[in-house]
Amino acid sequence: MPPVRLDVYIQPRASRTELAGMHAGAIKIRVAAPPVENAANRALIGFVAERLGVAKRSVRVVSGGTSRRKTLEVDGVTAEVVAAALGSPRR
């Protein structure tokens, strides 16, 4: 099964980590972690992995590591599972 890619837009330093709908065609996720020393990316990966029921190592940032707009790849799930848990996947 090929990895599922999805576009996300993150808002660091939020009051809590949560889904926040859509933002310009990307899934918006608020993360409580600050955008320093990769903390926001780690929080994002942990949140997505937990929501999808996969290990953290199955979720990776493939582009936008230092940007608010990122592309994630998730192994071990189908696009349908991602859509049901988070919203629409990119491909």
Side-chain angles (χ1 to χ4, degrees):
M1 166 182 350
V4 176
R5 282 186 164 218
L6 59 143
D7 289 328
V8 297
Y9 179 86
I10 68 164
Q11 177 186 339
R13 287 199 174 114
S15 59
R16 64 178 183 231
T17 301
E18 64 185 354
L19 283 175
M22 299 296 286
H23 177 85
I27 300 165
K28 184 174 181 180
I29 300 175
R30 294 184 178 120
V31 292
V36 293
E37 297 180 0
N38 221 17
N41 285 344
R42 287 193 307 272
L44 173 67
I45 288 170
F47 176 75
V48 171
E50 182 179 326
R51 289 292 299 242
L52 297 176
V54 298
K56 289 181 191 175
R57 69 178 177 270
S58 298
V59 181
R60 62 194 164 279
V61 177
V62 293
S63 71
T66 58
S67 171
R68 285 183 176 220
R69 183 174 280 279
K70 302 174 186 304
T71 300
L72 302 180
E73 273 188 357
V74 184
D75 294 322
V77 294
T78 63
E80 292 77 23
V81 170
V82 173
L86 299 175
S88 298
R90 192 173 92 184
R91 44 183 138 133

